[in-house]
């Protein structure tokens, strides 16, 4: 008992050390998760941040509204009527619109000829009529005309593409050499009179300063881009739908967009150049894309 | 000292209990996370499966192709030219197209009047001209005319909505009662002459039976939906963009679509009913959606 009581301080010390170790390991495991994230973001500091936008996929039931009209409780309803065409007219209009859109191709050979700014304003106004989840209109269209800004955009994108292609070459050198030559250099980023960079606003701000989640923001902004592509085709301008995935955050900083905006698409816009070519692709016939029942 | 040593067992006991509590709380916090996930997937067994489609967000650099034209190495290129309009014509066309689209509203009051099927075929053909990542055309448009199938769709969607609303009522009963009355019952699913269910194909199949990832499939299909909405507006038909999120897998099974297809949007399509109303909303002006530099 004497031995025991003389050892008491030792026991207590050992136990204190044990508690200390347990507490520390707890904190470390927390830190470890954090530092892993830090490491990841080091290798591509912008990628993880950009991929954090999962608001489109993990919608909580409580706030998800099936028909996108969640914020209407206090809004008056007004009568609605639409243009009414005869059946023959409808068939004719639908056919002509299909024929117009069917001539659209993704074109990378864009002329540097100027295009009236008013046309660009109007096609973006057309895109802005798109529906959006709870009428949040979560889009920002950045229209770049300034040659210096366009060139900086090109530098950022080609730098990233170069990394992508060089990484690729390790595995698939022979096959990809051909692609390398055509794809890495994006001359249209300098030549096109306009670059339209489309940002999705992944959240908004409530009056109390808290974040307001924009549900379905990616779907909404993509739908708006569909309308934009149709509007461009309607005036005889061409573009190529591009997704400069790894460049988003750097381009966001360059264009001084806030952190709640993420780059979704970049569209170089102009007339096609005289020697423009497109790959000889066909589209799936109706019976491969439609099922009627 | 004697007092101290006689209290030693008590000290040790207290310290052991402390360690026990710390260890237990560790394990619990781990378990808690797990059981929360389990609960979530229990209440909606199909949701998680449907949300597994993250192909749009986690694109590996190796396979992501910035300008969506990844599969062209062996495809011949052909000359391309576009319709050329005078500047005045371009401005006029862009303004008229904006004015046409600006009359579009999401309408839930849809007449049961029949609509020529040829018009529906043409608007879907128009949607099918949309660009897609590596020209995968990852869309399936299921057009439902059969009243029995439409009614089954309505049953599935209203059942899910009922669960959503009843869950909500626990927290926000008074505020949401109004929404409940208008939103839970979706009469248009029976009345609209057509329901167009748009599926994204999250992957395809290679000749060797392996999966072929469809990058950017959600963005691609959403862009196609933007073209579809423009095409519908162009013929005087109305719809409401809806995302029956929790119903996707049940509707997929009902419509006998393969597992690589996930429901993205459901559009009821028809003429507006005579007493149709829409919420009195306005759209953001151009300077709030466009930044020029």
């Amino acid at each position: 008992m004497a031995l025991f009581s003389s050892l008491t301080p030792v026991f207590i010390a050992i136990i204190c050390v044990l508690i200390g170790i347990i507490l520390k390991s707890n904190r470390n495991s927390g830190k470890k998760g954090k530092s892993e994230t830090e490491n990841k973001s080091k290798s591509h500091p912008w990628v993880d941040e950009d991929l954090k936008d999962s608001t489109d996929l993990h919608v909580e039931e409580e706030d998800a509204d099936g028909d996108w009209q969640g914020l209407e409780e206090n809004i008056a309803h007004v009568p609605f009527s639409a243009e009414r065409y005869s059946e023959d007219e409808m068939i004719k209009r639908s056919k002509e619109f299909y024929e117009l859109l069917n001539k659209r191709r993704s074109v990378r050979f864009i002329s540097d000829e100027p295009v009236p700014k008013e046309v660009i304003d109007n096609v973006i106004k057309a895109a802005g009529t798109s529906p959006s989840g709870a009428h949040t209109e979560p889009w920002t269209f950045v229209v770049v005309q300034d040659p210096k800004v366009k060139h900086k955009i090109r530098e950022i994108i080609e730098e990233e593409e170069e990394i992508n292609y060089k990484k690729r070459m390790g595995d698939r050198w022979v096959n990809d050499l051909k692609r390398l030559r055509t794809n890495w250099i994006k001359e249209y980023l300098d030549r096109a009179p306009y670059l339209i960079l489309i940002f999705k606003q992944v959240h908004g701000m409530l009056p109390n300063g808290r974040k307001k989640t924009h549900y379905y923001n990616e779907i909404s902004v993509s739908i708006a881009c569909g309308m934009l592509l149709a509007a461009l085709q309607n005036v005889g301008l061409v573009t190529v739908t591009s997704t400069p995935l790894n460049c988003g955050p750097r381009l966001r900083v360059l264009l001084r967009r806030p952190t709640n905006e993420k780059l979704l698409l970049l569209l170089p816009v102009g007339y096609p150049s005289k020697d423009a070519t497109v790959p000889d692709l066909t589209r799936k016939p109706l019976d491969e894309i439609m099922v009627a029942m």
Side-chain angles (χ1 to χ4, degrees), chain A residues 116-284:
Chain A
K117 179 63 168 47
E118 196 178 339
V119 172
I120 302 300
D121 289 353
N122 284 339
V123 294
I124 286 173
K125 278 164 79 178
T129 67
S130 178
S132 55
H135 196 53
T136 44
E137 302 171 274
W139 37 67
T140 307
F141 300 89
V142 180
V143 176
V144 179
Q145 248 187 304
D146 183 336
K148 280 180 206 156
V149 182
K150 284 196 285 180
H151 193 67
K152 274 184 196 157
I153 291 170
R154 179 176 175 176
E155 278 175 354
I156 289 172
I157 290 174
E158 289 189 350
E159 203 179 302
E160 275 307 312
E161 289 286 288
E162 190 180 343
I163 295 169
N164 294 346
Y165 282 107
K166 283 196 174 158
K167 274 192 179 172
R168 251 184 207 164
M169 284 178 75
D171 293 305
R172 306 195 273 179
W173 192 84
V174 181
N175 281 341
D176 283 347
L177 199 58
K178 217 163 141 192
R179 287 175 72 175
L180 179 78
R181 278 190 195 132
T182 51
N183 287 9
W184 173 3
I185 305 301
K186 311 237 178 240
E187 215 190 356
Y188 58 72
L189 294 173
D190 272 324
R191 285 179 62 87
Y194 299 97
L195 302 181
I196 304 181
L197 292 96
I198 299 132
F199 288 82
K200 55 180 182 177
Q201 299 163 0
V202 297
H203 62 80
M205 282 296 172
L206 291 170
N208 63 8
R210 289 180 65 187
K211 284 181 185 178
K212 174 189 162 201
T213 307
H214 285 171
Y215 296 108
Y216 308 114
N217 64 77
E218 185 163 295
I219 298 174
S220 303
V221 181
S222 301
I223 290 174
C225 288
M227 295 196 171
L228 180 59
L229 292 175
L232 288 169
Q233 176 63 13
N234 180 58
V235 293
L237 293 174
V238 297
T239 187
V240 52
T241 313
S242 76
T243 44
L245 191 75
N246 291 337
C247 316
R250 290 174 72 188
L251 294 175
R252 182 181 63 71
V253 171
L254 174 72
L255 302 172
R256 295 189 294 278
R257 300 310 308 156
T259 52
N260 66 324
E261 296 190 2
K262 310 284 178 198
L263 183 65
L264 184 70
L265 293 169
L266 184 155
L267 305 180
V269 171
Y271 300 104
S273 61
K274 274 172 191 152
D275 56 355
T277 61
V278 292
D280 195 12
L281 297 169
T282 55
R283 296 192 166 114
K284 289 179 184 172

Side-chain angles (χ1 to χ4, degrees), chain A residues 14-15 22-23 60 66 104 136 165 232 255 272 279:
Chain A
I14 290 170
I15 288 162
I22 290 167
L23 287 174
E60 283 170 39
R104 191 201 56 78
T136 44
Y165 282 107
L232 288 169
L255 302 172

